C-alpha cells in the first residue's frame, strides 16, 4: 500500500491537528493532508472540501490508492459551506491567501463553524488574516515557521473567540501582523531567518519604490530582529 510522506508544511499542520476526531480540510486540492492524517492515525475521519471538481476527483483517487477511502469523504463547494455546524471538531485551511481565509471564516454564523480548533497556512496576505483574528479575539494557540523548497511558510492554530483579546508581547512592534507574535514569544528558531529574508526583500523593493508601507515594514522588521539578537 502506498504511504504518504508529507513534507515540512503539511507535517507541521498535521502535528497541530493530531488528536482531532473529524477534520474539515477546506481547499483540500489533491487531498494529501486529509489522506495523510487518516493514514497515519492522527485523526479518525476527514471531510475534504474543494471548489474544484477535478481536484476532488484526484483526492478521491489518492484516498483509494492509500486505502483510506472509507474515512475520507469529499464534498464539492465553497469554503466551509459544505460542512454542517459542529460536524468537524477541527478545521484546516492551507495554501490559500489570507484575504480569502477571512472571507471563509466570516461566512459562517458560528465561529469556526462550531470547531474547537483551526489550523491556517496562508500563502499571501498573512497580515490580513492575522489582523482580523486579533481584532475578533481569536487566540493563537501555536505558531510555527517552516522552511520547505527554499521558501518560508507560517503555520498557526487558533481557537474560537474569547471575551478578552490576546495580549501582544511588550517588545512587539505596534500594528505588526505579517509575522507571528506567538512565534516571537515562543522563540521559534526559524523566525529570525524568515525576518531577515523579509527585510532583504523589502529593502530591494525600496530601491525602486519609496512606499510608506515598505518603510514601516522595514522599521518593524528591524525592531523584531534587534530584540531577537538581544536574546542570544
Amino acid at each position: 500500500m502506498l504511504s504518504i510522506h508529507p513534507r515540512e508544511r503539511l507535517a507541521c499542520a498535521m502535528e497541530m491537528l493530531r488528536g482531532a476526531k473529524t477534520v474539515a480540510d477546506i481547499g483540500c486540492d489533491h487531498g494529501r493532508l486529509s489522506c495523510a492524517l487518516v493514514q497515519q492515525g492522527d485523526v479518525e475521519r476527514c471531510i475534504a472540501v474543494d471548489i474544484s471538481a477535478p481536484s476532488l476527483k484526484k483526492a478521491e483517487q489518492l484516498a483509494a490508492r492509500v486505502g483510506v477511502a472509507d474515512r475520507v469523504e469529499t464534498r464539492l463547494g465553497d469554503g466551509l459551506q459544505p460542512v454542517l455546524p459542529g460536524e468537524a471538531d477541527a478545521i484546516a485551511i492551507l495554501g490559500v491567501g489570507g484575504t480569502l481565509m477571512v472571507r471563509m471564516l466570516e461566512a459562517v454564523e458560528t465561529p469556526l463553524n462550531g470547531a474547537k480548533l483551526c489550523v491556517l497556512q496562508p500563502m499571501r496576505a498573512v497580515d490580513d488574516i492575522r489582523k482580523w483574528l486579533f481584532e475578533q479575539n481569536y487566540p493563537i494557540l501555536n505558531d510555527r515557521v517552516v522552511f520547505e523548497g527554499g521558501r518560508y511558510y507560517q503555520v498557526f492554530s487558533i481557537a474560537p473567540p474569547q471575551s478578552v483579546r490576546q495580549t501582544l508581547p511588550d517588545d512587539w512592534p505596534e500594528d505588526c501582523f505579517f509575522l507571528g507574535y506567538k512565534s516571537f514569544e515562543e522563540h521559534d528558531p526559524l523566525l529570525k531567518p524568515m525576518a531577515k529574508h523579509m527585510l532583504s526583500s523589502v529593502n530591494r523593493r525600496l530601491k525602486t519604490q519609496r512606499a510608506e508601507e515598505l518603510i514601516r515594514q522595514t522599521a518593524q522588521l528591524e525592531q523584531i530582529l534587534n530584540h531577537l539578537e538581544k536574546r542570544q
Side-chain angles (χ1 to χ4, degrees), residues 4 55 74 93 95 108 110 116 120 122 128 146 152 165 171 176 208 219 222:
I4 298 176
S55 289
T74 59
I93 310 177
V108 291
T110 306
K116 300 174 183 177
L120 302 168
D128 282 359
V146 298
Y152 292 99
R165 184 167 292 174
D171 299 329
C176 178
T208 58
E222 287 176 346

Side-chain angles (χ1 to χ4, degrees), residues 98-100 102 124-133 177:
T99 309
L100 179 56
V102 172
R124 56 196 169 275
V126 177
D127 51 336
D128 282 359
I129 181 63
R130 285 191 180 276
K131 187 171 185 177
W132 183 83
L133 292 169
F177 293 100

Side-chain angles (χ1 to χ4, degrees), residues 211-223:
E212 184 178 330
E213 178 62 21
L214 293 178
I215 295 171
R216 187 172 71 92
Q217 287 182 7
T218 298
Q220 291 173 330
L221 285 164
E222 287 176 346
Q223 181 178 334

Side-chain angles (χ1 to χ4, degrees), residues 61-170:
Q61 292 171 346
L62 179 61
R65 287 204 308 274
V66 302
V68 297
D70 58 331
R71 289 175 289 159
V72 174
E73 178 185 353
T74 59
R75 296 184 190 176
L76 183 67
D78 186 14
L80 287 156
Q81 300 305 316
V83 184
L84 296 173
E87 188 176 11
D89 58 329
I91 297 167
I93 310 177
L94 312 183
V96 302
T99 309
L100 179 56
M101 288 178 174
V102 172
R103 184 180 69 78
M104 288 179 177
L105 295 177
E106 282 184 328
V108 291
E109 292 184 10
T110 306
L112 301 185
N113 209 30
K116 300 174 183 177
L117 174 78
C118 179
V119 175
L120 302 168
Q121 184 270 297
M123 294 296 287
R124 56 196 169 275
V126 177
D127 51 336
D128 282 359
I129 181 63
R130 285 191 180 276
K131 187 171 185 177
W132 183 83
L133 292 169
F134 181 74
E135 291 174 346
Q136 300 298 317
N137 294 355
Y138 284 84
I140 305 293
L141 301 178
N142 199 346
D143 201 339
R144 299 267 301 279
V145 177
V146 298
F147 188 72
E148 176 185 312
R151 180 173 178 175
Y152 292 99
Y153 297 92
Q154 300 183 54
V155 185
F156 50 97
S157 61
I158 61 172
Q162 298 178 340
S163 57
V164 179
R165 184 167 292 174
Q166 199 164 34
T167 304
L168 295 174
D170 292 337

Side-chain angles (χ1 to χ4, degrees), residues 26-29 48-56 75-79 82 100 103-104:
I26 308 301
C28 68
D29 196 27
V49 178
D50 205 284
I51 201 167
S52 164
S55 289
L56 280 185
R75 296 184 190 176
L76 183 67
D78 186 14
L100 179 56
R103 184 180 69 78
M104 288 179 177

